[in-house]
Amino acid sequence: MKRILFIVCFAVTCFATGAQGMEEMWDSTASKKEHPDIQWFKDAKFGLFIHWGLYSKLAGTWQGKNYYGSGEWIMNQAKIPVREYEQVAATFNPVNFNADEWAQLAKDAGVKYMVITAKHHEGFSMFDSKVTHFDIVDATPYKKDPMKALSEAARKRGIQFGFYYSQFQDWHEPNGGRNTWDFDESKKDYQQYYREKAIPQLKELLTNYGPLGIVWFDTPGGMTKEQTQRFINELRKLQPKSLFSSRVGQGLGDYKDFGDSEVPPVPIAGAWESIYTHNDSWGYIAHDMNFKSSDEIIKLLANVASKGGNLMLNVGPDGLGNIPYYSVKYLKATGEWLKRNGESIYASTAGFIPAQPWGVTTAKPGRLFLQVLNRPANDTVLVPGFINTVSKVYALDGKMRLPFVKKGTDLYVNMATVKNVHCPSTVLVVEYKGAASAYNATAPVTVSAAFENNMIDAIFAKTNGNAKVQSLTYSHYFGDWKHTTCVTDMLDPGDAAGFAVRITDPGDYKLLLEYACPQESANQEGSLEIGDKTFLFRTLRTSEYDHKAPLLFIKHPVAIFTVAKPGIYRIVVKPFKQGKELFKLKSIIVEPIK
Ligand code: JFZ
């Protein structure tokens, strides 16, 4: 148990460090006293995030020049002066906005909550505010308050409604955070900005839009821990039931938000959320077509739920109020899957069986849900470390009973009779007797010949010497943060990464190292040991680690290994001799050779 706690705490530490330290560490001691109304959030599992503002109208283009990356940052990227940016409001007329259509899409997608940008860093209020004229009612030809209509349409459908509010960054205000192109940073009085805009506006939002499920703060700054606590207390009085996101800052807030596009690899206790955007940008960009398919969304949702969290997926409607075609299409398809399989997602908790080559698990009392994301070639799903007595196994959709055998704590389920209809995750249900067993964080990673490849993720490394497991953050375009867990700091043979793997089938296997390697690390020798064999290799250059550029990984085949006897093997990767960091190791891939 101690070990499990250690792993969980370790993962929180590792994954709480956001992009460029923008997000302070979330205080895990604060999480002990949970918000009394947190349960709906823990049960929700799936939320819809909406980024909508003047930037949606610009759509990634300013004065004929295209900007890539996160669209809501265009004012900052192009350093647009406040007076010029204000002109955009005069042309902002989202005549196609239809609150009922948006809320119905959310309902059809199967989300349980929705959070929309009331004011993003650009400083424009998408609601009727008496605090400023730079709002949708006063400054645009649209003249209506879309937030009012949307809050009502969502609530009517039983969807919790919440506001995103950029409490510190406000590029429109002389005293707001981070506009350095119009205003002198050294002359800023953040307290004045909080007093005169942020707090009065948050009070409007917490007063005029009915009960808010969530207030989603972002990119904190300019306040001490004591000031943040007073800020929270003052707002809490208006709506004690409303949950505040951890990006209120200073380790406070009611639930933890993981940095953009980051799923913790092991279960995390407490209430938390992973946020992803549907393509590469949070705000609408006309030329961003990198939409995740419904299959990808469903796999992501199952994966996040298997670690005990919520997925809040973002869409960026355009300046006319249209939600992009592919967002509508894929959200609806996700909802279709949830109609048949939602029982394994909503109100579930993290599965107590670690990730397997076939997929991940979620749980409810007496039931373990197997999210089969990769169907095994032999139709046999091995659930290792299953201690409880099994009473029955069936496919969730259709309830067909499935044969199973138990060999010690190995549960084998035969899914041959489950039709091979196209399905991103086939959910199997294991009903068992007794209390759920604890998650075994030290279980070896399973490797089986029933899959084209088996991935042993860096997170499962036991490191020696200076080697450590780290989350690396980088962006492809601008502000679209990616996170990858790697073993780093392997500089000499004492800095080793060890992996315990259980290989269930005899045969030949090819081993590939997936790593990123800058110029200075290239052409160094390393070794991979498995069983009683040692394989040498020389590192190949991929890319530098620069947080503003993609981190490129190569899959470098380094060994062929014959497994005569199924069992537990130890794989050790380390430098052959002392030198620079060998590489950043993302995973070991094990491919059965047919
Ligand atoms: C912030 C915003 O700047 C961005 O525009 C968007 O609204 C996003 C949802 O949140 O960006 C962040 C904030 C924190 C991290 C990454 C991006 N982080 O901690 O990794």
mmCIF file of all heavy atoms in Angstrom, residues 468 472 486-491 495 497 499 513-518 520-522 524-528 537-543 553-554 556 558 573-575 580-588:
data_model
loop_
_atom_site.group_PDB
_atom_site.id
_atom_site.type_symbol
_atom_site.label_atom_id
_atom_site.label_comp_id
_atom_site.label_asym_id
_atom_site.label_seq_id
_atom_site.Cartn_x
_atom_site.Cartn_y
_atom_site.Cartn_z
ATOM 1 N N LYS A 468 16.034 9.584 -14.235
ATOM 2 C CA LYS A 468 14.720 9.852 -13.660
ATOM 3 C C LYS A 468 13.625 9.839 -14.714
ATOM 4 O O LYS A 468 13.893 9.947 -15.913
ATOM 5 C CB LYS A 468 14.708 11.149 -12.859
ATOM 6 C CG LYS A 468 15.402 12.347 -13.457
ATOM 7 C CD LYS A 468 15.214 13.506 -12.500
ATOM 8 C CE LYS A 468 16.379 14.462 -12.333
ATOM 9 N NZ LYS A 468 17.708 14.046 -12.548
ATOM 10 N N LEU A 472 7.951 15.774 -20.191
ATOM 11 C CA LEU A 472 8.525 16.834 -21.018
ATOM 12 C C LEU A 472 7.409 17.556 -21.758
ATOM 13 O O LEU A 472 6.499 16.936 -22.297
ATOM 14 C CB LEU A 472 9.513 16.245 -22.033
ATOM 15 C CG LEU A 472 10.621 15.369 -21.427
ATOM 16 C CD1 LEU A 472 11.453 14.741 -22.532
ATOM 17 C CD2 LEU A 472 11.492 16.184 -20.489
ATOM 18 N N CYS A 486 9.249 10.591 -20.177
ATOM 19 C CA CYS A 486 10.480 9.944 -20.642
ATOM 20 C C CYS A 486 11.409 9.651 -19.472
ATOM 21 O O CYS A 486 11.354 10.324 -18.454
ATOM 22 C CB CYS A 486 11.240 10.876 -21.597
ATOM 23 S SG CYS A 486 10.436 11.121 -23.174
ATOM 24 N N VAL A 487 12.280 8.659 -19.677
ATOM 25 C CA VAL A 487 13.407 8.483 -18.759
ATOM 26 C C VAL A 487 14.508 9.407 -19.253
ATOM 27 O O VAL A 487 14.879 9.362 -20.430
ATOM 28 C CB VAL A 487 13.924 7.032 -18.726
ATOM 29 C CG1 VAL A 487 15.062 6.907 -17.712
ATOM 30 C CG2 VAL A 487 12.811 6.058 -18.383
ATOM 31 N N THR A 488 14.997 10.271 -18.375
ATOM 32 C CA THR A 488 16.039 11.229 -18.754
ATOM 33 C C THR A 488 17.259 11.046 -17.854
ATOM 34 O O THR A 488 17.242 10.233 -16.925
ATOM 35 C CB THR A 488 15.524 12.672 -18.580
ATOM 36 O OG1 THR A 488 15.268 12.904 -17.194
ATOM 37 C CG2 THR A 488 14.245 12.908 -19.367
ATOM 38 N N ASP A 489 18.285 11.824 -18.126
ATOM 39 C CA ASP A 489 19.486 11.902 -17.273
ATOM 40 C C ASP A 489 20.242 10.582 -17.112
ATOM 41 O O ASP A 489 20.742 10.281 -16.042
ATOM 42 C CB ASP A 489 19.124 12.493 -15.904
ATOM 43 C CG ASP A 489 18.578 13.903 -16.026
ATOM 44 O OD1 ASP A 489 19.387 14.835 -16.095
ATOM 45 O OD2 ASP A 489 17.335 14.054 -16.103
ATOM 46 N N MET A 490 20.312 9.810 -18.197
ATOM 47 C CA MET A 490 21.160 8.616 -18.184
ATOM 48 C C MET A 490 22.506 9.028 -18.778
ATOM 49 O O MET A 490 22.619 9.182 -20.003
ATOM 50 C CB MET A 490 20.533 7.508 -19.037
ATOM 51 C CG MET A 490 19.315 6.874 -18.380
ATOM 52 S SD MET A 490 18.727 5.478 -19.370
ATOM 53 C CE MET A 490 17.481 6.264 -20.329
ATOM 54 N N LEU A 491 23.503 9.256 -17.914
ATOM 55 C CA LEU A 491 24.804 9.739 -18.397
ATOM 56 C C LEU A 491 25.936 8.729 -18.268
ATOM 57 O O LEU A 491 26.917 8.812 -18.992
ATOM 58 C CB LEU A 491 25.203 11.026 -17.665
ATOM 59 C CG LEU A 491 24.545 12.305 -18.192
ATOM 60 C CD1 LEU A 491 23.170 12.507 -17.590
ATOM 61 C CD2 LEU A 491 25.430 13.506 -17.951
ATOM 62 N N ASP A 495 23.466 5.009 -14.398
ATOM 63 C CA ASP A 495 22.160 5.666 -14.561
ATOM 64 C C ASP A 495 21.284 4.796 -15.462
ATOM 65 O O ASP A 495 21.146 5.049 -16.651
ATOM 66 C CB ASP A 495 22.323 7.049 -15.200
ATOM 67 C CG ASP A 495 23.307 7.928 -14.441
ATOM 68 O OD1 ASP A 495 23.421 7.751 -13.201
ATOM 69 O OD2 ASP A 495 23.945 8.781 -15.080
ATOM 70 N N ALA A 497 17.785 2.410 -16.533
ATOM 71 C CA ALA A 497 16.333 2.290 -16.454
ATOM 72 C C ALA A 497 15.993 0.799 -16.537
ATOM 73 O O ALA A 497 16.361 0.132 -17.507
ATOM 74 C CB ALA A 497 15.674 3.042 -17.604
ATOM 75 N N PHE A 499 13.064 -2.353 -16.325
ATOM 76 C CA PHE A 499 11.634 -2.624 -16.519
ATOM 77 C C PHE A 499 11.368 -4.088 -16.238
ATOM 78 O O PHE A 499 12.082 -4.962 -16.750
ATOM 79 C CB PHE A 499 11.223 -2.336 -17.968
ATOM 80 C CG PHE A 499 11.460 -0.930 -18.401
ATOM 81 C CD1 PHE A 499 12.721 -0.525 -18.868
ATOM 82 C CD2 PHE A 499 10.444 0.012 -18.367
ATOM 83 C CE1 PHE A 499 12.952 0.775 -19.273
ATOM 84 C CE2 PHE A 499 10.669 1.322 -18.785
ATOM 85 C CZ PHE A 499 11.926 1.705 -19.244
ATOM 86 N N LEU A 513 13.712 0.675 -29.269
ATOM 87 C CA LEU A 513 13.744 1.758 -28.290
ATOM 88 C C LEU A 513 13.147 2.991 -28.950
ATOM 89 O O LEU A 513 13.565 3.369 -30.054
ATOM 90 C CB LEU A 513 15.176 2.045 -27.840
ATOM 91 C CG LEU A 513 15.885 0.896 -27.117
ATOM 92 C CD1 LEU A 513 17.343 1.263 -26.845
ATOM 93 C CD2 LEU A 513 15.160 0.545 -25.815
ATOM 94 N N GLU A 514 12.168 3.569 -28.280
ATOM 95 C CA GLU A 514 11.578 4.804 -28.808
ATOM 96 C C GLU A 514 12.164 5.961 -28.011
ATOM 97 O O GLU A 514 11.949 6.056 -26.807
ATOM 98 C CB GLU A 514 10.054 4.755 -28.678
ATOM 99 C CG GLU A 514 9.383 5.926 -29.351
ATOM 100 C CD GLU A 514 7.866 5.912 -29.193
ATOM 101 O OE1 GLU A 514 7.346 5.195 -28.309
ATOM 102 O OE2 GLU A 514 7.201 6.637 -29.942
ATOM 103 N N TYR A 515 12.924 6.824 -28.688
ATOM 104 C CA TYR A 515 13.599 7.897 -27.958
ATOM 105 C C TYR A 515 13.763 9.148 -28.798
ATOM 106 O O TYR A 515 13.632 9.119 -30.018
ATOM 107 C CB TYR A 515 14.973 7.421 -27.446
ATOM 108 C CG TYR A 515 15.958 6.999 -28.521
ATOM 109 C CD1 TYR A 515 16.677 7.944 -29.256
ATOM 110 C CD2 TYR A 515 16.186 5.645 -28.794
ATOM 111 C CE1 TYR A 515 17.590 7.553 -30.234
ATOM 112 C CE2 TYR A 515 17.101 5.250 -29.770
ATOM 113 C CZ TYR A 515 17.794 6.209 -30.488
ATOM 114 O OH TYR A 515 18.691 5.825 -31.454
ATOM 115 N N ALA A 516 14.036 10.247 -28.087
ATOM 116 C CA ALA A 516 14.426 11.507 -28.726
ATOM 117 C C ALA A 516 15.881 11.756 -28.368
ATOM 118 O O ALA A 516 16.301 11.474 -27.250
ATOM 119 C CB ALA A 516 13.560 12.657 -28.228
ATOM 120 N N CYS A 517 16.648 12.272 -29.340
ATOM 121 C CA CYS A 517 18.088 12.367 -29.146
ATOM 122 C C CYS A 517 18.639 13.591 -29.892
ATOM 123 O O CYS A 517 18.599 13.647 -31.116
ATOM 124 C CB CYS A 517 18.709 11.076 -29.681
ATOM 125 S SG CYS A 517 20.478 10.950 -29.555
ATOM 126 N N PRO A 518 19.127 14.579 -29.168
ATOM 127 C CA PRO A 518 19.697 15.762 -29.832
ATOM 128 C C PRO A 518 21.095 15.444 -30.382
ATOM 129 O O PRO A 518 21.673 14.404 -30.056
ATOM 130 C CB PRO A 518 19.788 16.789 -28.699
ATOM 131 C CG PRO A 518 19.944 15.978 -27.456
ATOM 132 C CD PRO A 518 19.188 14.690 -27.698
ATOM 133 N N GLU A 520 24.005 16.490 -29.631
ATOM 134 C CA GLU A 520 25.104 16.238 -28.682
ATOM 135 C C GLU A 520 25.023 14.855 -28.037
ATOM 136 O O GLU A 520 25.995 14.365 -27.490
ATOM 137 C CB GLU A 520 25.164 17.329 -27.602
ATOM 138 C CG GLU A 520 23.980 17.343 -26.669
ATOM 139 C CD GLU A 520 24.271 18.102 -25.362
ATOM 140 O OE1 GLU A 520 25.153 18.982 -25.372
ATOM 141 O OE2 GLU A 520 23.622 17.785 -24.356
ATOM 142 N N SER A 521 23.844 14.215 -28.130
ATOM 143 C CA SER A 521 23.696 12.886 -27.550
ATOM 144 C C SER A 521 23.887 11.777 -28.582
ATOM 145 O O SER A 521 23.998 10.605 -28.229
ATOM 146 C CB SER A 521 22.304 12.736 -26.933
ATOM 147 O OG SER A 521 22.153 13.603 -25.845
ATOM 148 N N ALA A 522 23.918 12.173 -29.864
ATOM 149 C CA ALA A 522 23.961 11.166 -30.929
ATOM 150 C C ALA A 522 25.304 10.443 -30.979
ATOM 151 O O ALA A 522 26.308 10.943 -30.468
ATOM 152 C CB ALA A 522 23.669 11.831 -32.269
ATOM 153 N N GLN A 524 26.366 7.836 -29.468
ATOM 154 C CA GLN A 524 26.896 7.242 -28.234
ATOM 155 C C GLN A 524 26.417 5.794 -28.136
ATOM 156 O O GLN A 524 25.350 5.440 -28.622
ATOM 157 C CB GLN A 524 26.406 8.006 -27.017
ATOM 158 C CG GLN A 524 26.868 9.450 -26.966
ATOM 159 C CD GLN A 524 26.475 10.086 -25.645
ATOM 160 O OE1 GLN A 524 27.256 10.191 -24.734
ATOM 161 N NE2 GLN A 524 25.224 10.482 -25.553
ATOM 162 N N GLU A 525 27.212 4.983 -27.462
ATOM 163 C CA GLU A 525 26.822 3.578 -27.312
ATOM 164 C C GLU A 525 25.982 3.372 -26.062
ATOM 165 O O GLU A 525 26.238 3.961 -25.011
ATOM 166 C CB GLU A 525 28.071 2.696 -27.212
ATOM 167 C CG GLU A 525 28.734 2.447 -28.547
ATOM 168 C CD GLU A 525 29.913 1.500 -28.379
ATOM 169 O OE1 GLU A 525 30.970 1.968 -27.943
ATOM 170 O OE2 GLU A 525 29.735 0.301 -28.681
ATOM 171 N N GLY A 526 24.994 2.518 -26.231
ATOM 172 C CA GLY A 526 24.172 2.131 -25.093
ATOM 173 C C GLY A 526 23.980 0.635 -25.112
ATOM 174 O O GLY A 526 24.364 -0.046 -26.072
ATOM 175 N N SER A 527 23.408 0.113 -24.049
ATOM 176 C CA SER A 527 23.148 -1.323 -24.031
ATOM 177 C C SER A 527 21.747 -1.626 -23.524
ATOM 178 O O SER A 527 21.179 -0.868 -22.734
ATOM 179 C CB SER A 527 24.187 -2.047 -23.170
ATOM 180 O OG SER A 527 23.968 -1.768 -21.805
ATOM 181 N N LEU A 528 21.222 -2.716 -24.040
ATOM 182 C CA LEU A 528 19.943 -3.228 -23.562
ATOM 183 C C LEU A 528 20.178 -4.663 -23.112
ATOM 184 O O LEU A 528 20.698 -5.481 -23.875
ATOM 185 C CB LEU A 528 18.901 -3.170 -24.681
ATOM 186 C CG LEU A 528 17.497 -3.694 -24.332
ATOM 187 C CD1 LEU A 528 16.439 -2.933 -25.102
ATOM 188 C CD2 LEU A 528 17.352 -5.196 -24.599
ATOM 189 N N PHE A 537 23.981 -0.884 -28.985
ATOM 190 C CA PHE A 537 23.456 -0.049 -30.088
ATOM 191 C C PHE A 537 24.155 1.305 -30.012
ATOM 192 O O PHE A 537 24.816 1.625 -29.014
ATOM 193 C CB PHE A 537 21.932 0.121 -29.957
ATOM 194 C CG PHE A 537 21.496 0.734 -28.659
ATOM 195 C CD1 PHE A 537 21.405 2.119 -28.526
ATOM 196 C CD2 PHE A 537 21.190 -0.058 -27.544
ATOM 197 C CE1 PHE A 537 21.015 2.692 -27.328
ATOM 198 C CE2 PHE A 537 20.793 0.513 -26.339
ATOM 199 C CZ PHE A 537 20.710 1.895 -26.232
ATOM 200 N N ARG A 538 24.008 2.086 -31.095
ATOM 201 C CA ARG A 538 24.551 3.442 -31.099
ATOM 202 C C ARG A 538 23.405 4.409 -31.356
ATOM 203 O O ARG A 538 22.576 4.178 -32.252
ATOM 204 C CB ARG A 538 25.623 3.565 -32.189
ATOM 205 C CG ARG A 538 26.700 4.573 -31.828
ATOM 206 C CD ARG A 538 27.705 4.703 -32.936
ATOM 207 N NE ARG A 538 27.024 5.282 -34.112
ATOM 208 C CZ ARG A 538 27.658 5.665 -35.204
ATOM 209 N NH1 ARG A 538 28.961 5.522 -35.305
ATOM 210 N NH2 ARG A 538 26.997 6.185 -36.214
ATOM 211 N N THR A 539 23.335 5.490 -30.573
ATOM 212 C CA THR A 539 22.167 6.378 -30.639
ATOM 213 C C THR A 539 22.114 7.165 -31.950
ATOM 214 O O THR A 539 23.141 7.543 -32.512
ATOM 215 C CB THR A 539 22.170 7.378 -29.472
ATOM 216 O OG1 THR A 539 23.400 8.112 -29.496
ATOM 217 C CG2 THR A 539 22.028 6.662 -28.140
ATOM 218 N N LEU A 540 20.900 7.411 -32.408
ATOM 219 C CA LEU A 540 20.657 8.138 -33.652
ATOM 220 C C LEU A 540 20.041 9.496 -33.330
ATOM 221 O O LEU A 540 19.176 9.600 -32.458
ATOM 222 C CB LEU A 540 19.684 7.339 -34.523
ATOM 223 C CG LEU A 540 20.106 5.899 -34.835
ATOM 224 C CD1 LEU A 540 18.969 5.159 -35.516
ATOM 225 C CD2 LEU A 540 21.362 5.905 -35.699
ATOM 226 N N ARG A 541 20.460 10.485 -34.050
ATOM 227 C CA ARG A 541 19.977 11.841 -33.799
ATOM 228 C C ARG A 541 18.514 12.013 -34.239
ATOM 229 O O ARG A 541 18.133 11.580 -35.318
ATOM 230 C CB ARG A 541 20.843 12.826 -34.574
ATOM 231 C CG ARG A 541 20.415 14.240 -34.329
ATOM 232 C CD ARG A 541 21.015 15.186 -35.311
ATOM 233 N NE ARG A 541 20.506 16.522 -35.007
ATOM 234 C CZ ARG A 541 20.829 17.596 -35.680
ATOM 235 N NH1 ARG A 541 21.662 17.515 -36.681
ATOM 236 N NH2 ARG A 541 20.321 18.759 -35.352
ATOM 237 N N THR A 542 17.707 12.636 -33.415
ATOM 238 C CA THR A 542 16.341 12.992 -33.836
ATOM 239 C C THR A 542 16.152 14.496 -33.762
ATOM 240 O O THR A 542 16.186 15.183 -34.767
ATOM 241 C CB THR A 542 15.259 12.273 -33.007
ATOM 242 O OG1 THR A 542 15.277 12.735 -31.674
ATOM 243 C CG2 THR A 542 15.430 10.775 -33.061
ATOM 244 N N SER A 543 15.980 15.053 -32.553
ATOM 245 C CA SER A 543 15.772 16.501 -32.439
ATOM 246 C C SER A 543 16.223 16.987 -31.072
ATOM 247 O O SER A 543 16.373 16.211 -30.143
ATOM 248 C CB SER A 543 14.290 16.838 -32.631
ATOM 249 O OG SER A 543 13.550 16.495 -31.479
ATOM 250 N N PHE A 553 10.632 11.555 -32.043
ATOM 251 C CA PHE A 553 11.051 10.272 -31.493
ATOM 252 C C PHE A 553 11.320 9.294 -32.633
ATOM 253 O O PHE A 553 10.603 9.284 -33.636
ATOM 254 C CB PHE A 553 9.965 9.710 -30.574
ATOM 255 C CG PHE A 553 9.809 10.503 -29.297
ATOM 256 C CD1 PHE A 553 8.887 11.544 -29.222
ATOM 257 C CD2 PHE A 553 10.596 10.228 -28.189
ATOM 258 C CE1 PHE A 553 8.757 12.290 -28.058
ATOM 259 C CE2 PHE A 553 10.473 10.966 -27.020
ATOM 260 C CZ PHE A 553 9.552 11.996 -26.955
ATOM 261 N N ILE A 554 12.333 8.475 -32.464
ATOM 262 C CA ILE A 554 12.613 7.431 -33.435
ATOM 263 C C ILE A 554 12.319 6.096 -32.770
ATOM 264 O O ILE A 554 12.410 5.970 -31.543
ATOM 265 C CB ILE A 554 14.091 7.503 -33.904
ATOM 266 C CG1 ILE A 554 14.299 6.669 -35.160
ATOM 267 C CG2 ILE A 554 15.070 7.060 -32.803
ATOM 268 C CD1 ILE A 554 15.643 6.922 -35.830
ATOM 269 N N HIS A 556 13.901 2.751 -32.757
ATOM 270 C CA HIS A 556 15.190 2.192 -33.173
ATOM 271 C C HIS A 556 15.251 0.710 -32.762
ATOM 272 O O HIS A 556 15.309 0.400 -31.579
ATOM 273 C CB HIS A 556 16.288 3.012 -32.475
ATOM 274 C CG HIS A 556 17.686 2.609 -32.814
ATOM 275 N ND1 HIS A 556 18.777 3.359 -32.457
ATOM 276 C CD2 HIS A 556 18.184 1.534 -33.470
ATOM 277 C CE1 HIS A 556 19.882 2.770 -32.865
ATOM 278 N NE2 HIS A 556 19.545 1.666 -33.479
ATOM 279 N N VAL A 558 16.796 -2.571 -31.750
ATOM 280 C CA VAL A 558 18.126 -2.840 -31.197
ATOM 281 C C VAL A 558 18.361 -4.307 -30.840
ATOM 282 O O VAL A 558 19.491 -4.691 -30.549
ATOM 283 C CB VAL A 558 18.423 -1.969 -29.945
ATOM 284 C CG1 VAL A 558 18.408 -0.490 -30.299
ATOM 285 C CG2 VAL A 558 17.433 -2.258 -28.817
ATOM 286 N N VAL A 573 18.103 -0.728 -19.647
ATOM 287 C CA VAL A 573 18.675 0.143 -20.678
ATOM 288 C C VAL A 573 19.612 1.117 -19.982
ATOM 289 O O VAL A 573 19.234 1.715 -18.965
ATOM 290 C CB VAL A 573 17.571 0.915 -21.432
ATOM 291 C CG1 VAL A 573 18.180 1.880 -22.445
ATOM 292 C CG2 VAL A 573 16.611 -0.045 -22.117
ATOM 293 N N LYS A 574 20.847 1.264 -20.522
ATOM 294 C CA LYS A 574 21.793 2.192 -19.886
ATOM 295 C C LYS A 574 22.890 2.583 -20.869
ATOM 296 O O LYS A 574 23.091 1.916 -21.897
ATOM 297 C CB LYS A 574 22.387 1.558 -18.638
ATOM 298 C CG LYS A 574 23.170 0.278 -18.898
ATOM 299 C CD LYS A 574 23.589 -0.355 -17.576
ATOM 300 C CE LYS A 574 24.470 -1.549 -17.837
ATOM 301 N NZ LYS A 574 24.681 -2.357 -16.637
ATOM 302 N N PRO A 575 23.644 3.653 -20.547
ATOM 303 C CA PRO A 575 24.793 4.017 -21.379
ATOM 304 C C PRO A 575 25.861 2.935 -21.261
ATOM 305 O O PRO A 575 25.992 2.310 -20.213
ATOM 306 C CB PRO A 575 25.292 5.328 -20.761
ATOM 307 C CG PRO A 575 24.155 5.838 -19.932
ATOM 308 C CD PRO A 575 23.415 4.623 -19.456
ATOM 309 N N LYS A 580 27.509 12.078 -22.505
ATOM 310 C CA LYS A 580 26.359 12.989 -22.388
ATOM 311 C C LYS A 580 25.110 12.152 -22.113
ATOM 312 O O LYS A 580 25.142 10.927 -22.239
ATOM 313 C CB LYS A 580 26.170 13.741 -23.716
ATOM 314 C CG LYS A 580 27.384 14.518 -24.156
ATOM 315 C CD LYS A 580 27.339 15.906 -23.573
ATOM 316 C CE LYS A 580 28.265 16.806 -24.291
ATOM 317 N NZ LYS A 580 29.187 17.612 -23.766
ATOM 318 N N GLU A 581 24.027 12.830 -21.839
ATOM 319 C CA GLU A 581 22.758 12.114 -21.675
ATOM 320 C C GLU A 581 22.546 11.217 -22.893
ATOM 321 O O GLU A 581 22.660 11.677 -24.034
ATOM 322 C CB GLU A 581 21.603 13.110 -21.560
ATOM 323 C CG GLU A 581 20.261 12.433 -21.361
ATOM 324 C CD GLU A 581 19.096 13.429 -21.313
ATOM 325 O OE1 GLU A 581 18.886 14.149 -22.309
ATOM 326 O OE2 GLU A 581 18.402 13.466 -20.286
ATOM 327 N N LEU A 582 22.244 9.935 -22.658
ATOM 328 C CA LEU A 582 22.158 8.968 -23.757
ATOM 329 C C LEU A 582 21.050 9.338 -24.742
ATOM 330 O O LEU A 582 21.253 9.383 -25.953
ATOM 331 C CB LEU A 582 21.927 7.564 -23.191
ATOM 332 C CG LEU A 582 22.014 6.396 -24.154
ATOM 333 C CD1 LEU A 582 23.423 6.266 -24.745
ATOM 334 C CD2 LEU A 582 21.613 5.093 -23.467
ATOM 335 N N PHE A 583 19.866 9.566 -24.193
ATOM 336 C CA PHE A 583 18.696 10.005 -24.975
ATOM 337 C C PHE A 583 17.552 10.195 -24.003
ATOM 338 O O PHE A 583 17.712 9.980 -22.799
ATOM 339 C CB PHE A 583 18.327 8.994 -26.081
ATOM 340 C CG PHE A 583 18.300 7.530 -25.670
ATOM 341 C CD1 PHE A 583 17.829 7.120 -24.429
ATOM 342 C CD2 PHE A 583 18.728 6.533 -26.562
ATOM 343 C CE1 PHE A 583 17.786 5.777 -24.078
ATOM 344 C CE2 PHE A 583 18.693 5.183 -26.212
ATOM 345 C CZ PHE A 583 18.219 4.824 -24.962
ATOM 346 N N LYS A 584 16.400 10.603 -24.506
ATOM 347 C CA LYS A 584 15.195 10.673 -23.680
ATOM 348 C C LYS A 584 14.324 9.509 -24.111
ATOM 349 O O LYS A 584 13.775 9.501 -25.208
ATOM 350 C CB LYS A 584 14.490 12.018 -23.871
ATOM 351 C CG LYS A 584 15.383 13.190 -23.430
ATOM 352 C CD LYS A 584 14.670 14.509 -23.503
ATOM 353 C CE LYS A 584 15.629 15.690 -23.312
ATOM 354 N NZ LYS A 584 16.388 15.669 -22.068
ATOM 355 N N LEU A 585 14.227 8.523 -23.246
ATOM 356 C CA LEU A 585 13.585 7.259 -23.610
ATOM 357 C C LEU A 585 12.087 7.319 -23.316
ATOM 358 O O LEU A 585 11.677 7.488 -22.175
ATOM 359 C CB LEU A 585 14.225 6.119 -22.807
ATOM 360 C CG LEU A 585 13.682 4.716 -23.064
ATOM 361 C CD1 LEU A 585 13.966 4.262 -24.491
ATOM 362 C CD2 LEU A 585 14.272 3.723 -22.060
ATOM 363 N N LYS A 586 11.290 7.189 -24.357
ATOM 364 C CA LYS A 586 9.832 7.280 -24.218
ATOM 365 C C LYS A 586 9.201 5.928 -23.942
ATOM 366 O O LYS A 586 8.285 5.797 -23.140
ATOM 367 C CB LYS A 586 9.253 7.870 -25.500
ATOM 368 C CG LYS A 586 7.743 8.016 -25.537
ATOM 369 C CD LYS A 586 7.348 8.820 -26.788
ATOM 370 C CE LYS A 586 5.861 9.080 -26.835
ATOM 371 N NZ LYS A 586 5.139 7.985 -27.483
ATOM 372 N N SER A 587 9.688 4.893 -24.647
ATOM 373 C CA SER A 587 9.118 3.563 -24.429
ATOM 374 C C SER A 587 10.025 2.496 -25.026
ATOM 375 O O SER A 587 10.946 2.803 -25.786
ATOM 376 C CB SER A 587 7.724 3.442 -25.072
ATOM 377 O OG SER A 587 7.832 3.328 -26.474
ATOM 378 N N ILE A 588 9.732 1.260 -24.641
ATOM 379 C CA ILE A 588 10.346 0.120 -25.318
ATOM 380 C C ILE A 588 9.190 -0.589 -26.009
ATOM 381 O O ILE A 588 8.145 -0.838 -25.383
ATOM 382 C CB ILE A 588 11.040 -0.824 -24.321
ATOM 383 C CG1 ILE A 588 12.144 -0.069 -23.573
ATOM 384 C CG2 ILE A 588 11.608 -2.047 -25.041
ATOM 385 C CD1 ILE A 588 12.805 -0.881 -22.481
#
